[in-house]
Amino acid sequence: MTDVSGSGGGRKFRAVTALQRHVVNPLSRRMPGQILLETTGRTTGRPRRTPVGGRRVGQQFWLVSEHGTRSQYVRNIQADPRVRVRVSGRWYTGTAHPLPEDDPKARLATLPRLNSAVVRAVGTELLTIRVDLDADRADGAD
């Protein structure tokens, strides 16, 4: 994992998350080809959609969180691992598993290049997430 113990890591985290929260994510959520991860808000119980990069491999979806357990969607997963993932315009239900023992840098090498490069560049604490997709696809309703 990347060291975030110094004040530089904290400033980088705050700057990146502010940019993502107010600019990148609102635009990305509206793009039809964008992969979305839907978690349940741990305090509100409401659906929370986050644009992510990753790859479906069989009945699993793999991604790397650039801020690890500091990411709100990872905290939501820790509270309730049941999620939905929108891939190619279709929603799939599944169970998410943070994998701190997995090598996130090696995992990024297996995921789409552009997103992986961004995650490496802005990441402060990398964490691999595996979503075990249910056999049946979720309903397609947004």
Side-chain angles (χ1 to χ4, degrees):
M1 288 189 196
T2 306
D3 180 17
V4 293
S5 58
S7 62
R11 280 193 299 269
K12 181 178 180 181
F13 171 77
R14 286 189 300 277
V16 169
T17 57
L19 180 65
Q20 289 172 330
R21 183 173 293 128
H22 299 294
V23 178
V24 177
N25 289 356
L27 295 173
S28 295
R29 277 192 290 266
R30 289 173 174 75
M31 296 173 63
Q34 175 66 52
I35 297 170
L36 294 177
L37 175 68
E38 184 180 87
T39 59
T40 301
R42 63 193 176 283
T43 57
T44 65
R46 294 174 38 192
R48 300 294 181 200
R49 293 182 178 173
T50 304
V52 296
R55 175 169 283 143
R56 181 177 175 184
V57 179
Q59 284 301 109
Q60 297 178 326
F61 183 82
W62 292 87
L63 68 129
V64 174
S65 167
E66 65 260 21
H67 301 301
T69 57
R70 296 173 77 183
S71 293
Q72 297 302 314
Y73 71 87
V74 174
R75 291 178 179 183
N76 290 342
I77 287 168
Q78 290 171 324
D80 180 358
R82 294 295 299 162
V83 300
R84 292 194 322 154
V85 181
R86 187 182 78 178
V87 180
S88 299
R90 294 182 175 182
W91 285 101
Y92 299 87
T93 58
T95 304
H97 305 277
L99 302 174
E101 68 281 356
D102 192 67
D103 180 351
K105 290 182 180 177
R107 183 65 58 191
L108 283 171
T110 69
L111 300 178
R113 286 185 191 174
L114 179 59
N115 182 75
S116 294
V118 172
V119 169
R120 276 190 209 93
V122 302
T124 57
E125 178 187 343
L126 303 180
L127 175 65
T128 301
I129 307 287
R130 183 190 77 227
V131 178
D132 295 331
L133 302 173
D134 297 339
D136 296 326
R137 184 173 72 86
D139 75 60
D142 273 335

